[in-house]
Amino acid sequence: MTLQVLPPEMLEAPKDKIETKEAQPYWKPSSLKDGESEEFRLLGCYETGHAIVGWQYASEKRRDNGELGFAGYVVTRSHPGQPDDIARETDWSKPDRPKIDGTYVKPRRFLAWVATSAARGRLEVLFIEQKSLREQLTEILQEIEDYTWTQEGLANFSIKVSRKGTGLETSYSILPKVRKVPDKIAKEWANQKNTIWLPNFFEGKDPFDGRQTDEKGLPAGGTDKRGAFVKPTTKTTTQTDNNEF
């Protein structure tokens, strides 16, 4: 048995644009401080609706006083270009942080993946906007003999995300470590996996509401089978780490 782990949009993004709100709880590598790291285990994959790739940009709308203000984020399947509601850049050199007319904040590509946090012991959505981290993770997931998955789509390894430096000198790294899936996590995932469906992002719905159905009872969203994908072996990897995570 093989699983399609990586979203094919890592190489080719389909076309769509739908506004949505960020899911809670979610975690971004930028929340780390210099020298900090956090460890996660990936749960599910693209084929099961637990990993997606898209674009996100900050939007602005005119308020009652006539001024433009932040109006949340817009998630799109493909690059949105320069839409009318995209937020302007901020002039950080001035104390009042004014917006700069005629400019806009560039959309950022992201990889979202469901995972369990070693620090908080809960299901979270990893929201990775750093290109370097996405590339590192892609390389790791192609080492299919070392980093395998269970039949249920659980990673037989953990990933430690680390940050070094601040400002323009910031760099991120991922360190994988082979770890057999504990029975506790396998059971928790079996009970909770249907409560999260990341393609909801593209329908303006909460990913933590699970897979939606339309008025005919058919599943909303779905998966796109186009593009390249990784086929890891699905076996249990022997390891000596007794950590329950």
Side-chain angles (χ1 to χ4, degrees), residues 96-108:
D96 57 345
R97 306 291 192 265
K99 294 293 183 178
I100 306 173
D101 290 334
T103 67
Y104 68 95
V105 179
K106 294 181 179 180
R108 301 192 67 177

Side-chain angles (χ1 to χ4, degrees), residues 29-30 32 130 132-133 136 161-163 170-174:
S30 57
L32 293 172
Q130 294 80 5
S132 61
L133 285 180
Q136 291 177 57
V161 182
S162 303
R163 174 175 179 168
T170 300
S171 62
Y172 296 90
S173 62
I174 290 183

Side-chain angles (χ1 to χ4, degrees), residues 84-214:
D84 294 337
D85 64 337
I86 194 168
R88 296 160 294 169
E89 291 182 333
T90 300
D91 188 346
W92 296 100
S93 67
K94 298 181 180 180
D96 57 345
R97 306 291 192 265
K99 294 293 183 178
I100 306 173
D101 290 334
T103 67
Y104 68 95
V105 179
K106 294 181 179 180
R108 301 192 67 177
R109 199 175 195 191
F110 70 85
L111 166 65
W113 208 307
V114 181
T116 183
S117 162
R120 290 169 291 282
R122 66 179 186 182
L123 294 183
E124 299 183 351
V125 174
L126 306 188
F127 203 84
I128 302 175
E129 297 174 299
Q130 294 80 5
K131 181 180 179 181
S132 61
L133 285 180
R134 295 198 304 270
E135 291 177 343
Q136 291 177 57
L137 184 56
T138 298
E139 290 183 6
I140 291 169
L141 295 180
Q142 292 183 86
E143 297 293 332
I144 60 177
E145 296 300 324
D146 296 323
Y147 305 112
T148 65
W149 300 74
T150 69
Q151 295 288 339
E152 294 75 27
L154 304 180
N156 277 315
F157 56 94
S158 66
I159 56 171
K160 183 168 74 172
V161 182
S162 303
R163 174 175 179 168
K164 182 179 180 181
T166 60
L168 297 178
E169 301 301 319
T170 300
S171 62
Y172 296 90
S173 62
I174 290 183
L175 177 66
K177 184 175 183 179
V178 174
R179 292 180 183 273
K180 181 181 177 181
V181 180
D183 291 340
K184 178 181 178 181
I185 290 180
K187 291 178 181 178
E188 289 177 347
W189 180 241
N191 293 329
Q192 299 183 54
K193 63 182 179 181
N194 292 330
T195 66
I196 304 179
W197 180 251
L198 295 191
N200 283 354
F201 264 123
F202 302 121
E203 299 179 17
K205 300 173 183 177
D206 188 344
F208 285 90
D209 284 342
R211 190 170 187 174
Q212 307 294 295
T213 58
D214 62 18

Side-chain angles (χ1 to χ4, degrees), residues 17-83:
K17 170 188 173 181
I18 299 176
E19 294 187 19
T20 186
K21 294 181 179 179
E22 291 183 332
Q24 295 286 353
Y26 69 95
W27 184 86
K28 295 183 178 181
S30 57
S31 65
L32 293 172
K33 296 179 181 179
D34 180 19
E36 290 185 339
S37 63
E38 286 215 24
E39 190 171 4
F40 300 89
R41 184 188 297 275
L42 301 177
L43 306 175
C45 57
Y46 167 77
E47 188 170 309
T48 63
H50 298 110
I52 61 171
V53 168
W55 294 82
Q56 177 177 261
Y57 70 87
S59 66
E60 290 183 331
K61 70 177 181 180
R62 201 163 296 281
R63 298 173 177 170
D64 294 339
N65 60 7
E67 296 183 357
L68 287 172
F70 178 68
Y73 292 93
V74 177
V75 170
T76 65
R77 290 183 182 273
S78 56
H79 193 288
Q82 189 175 342

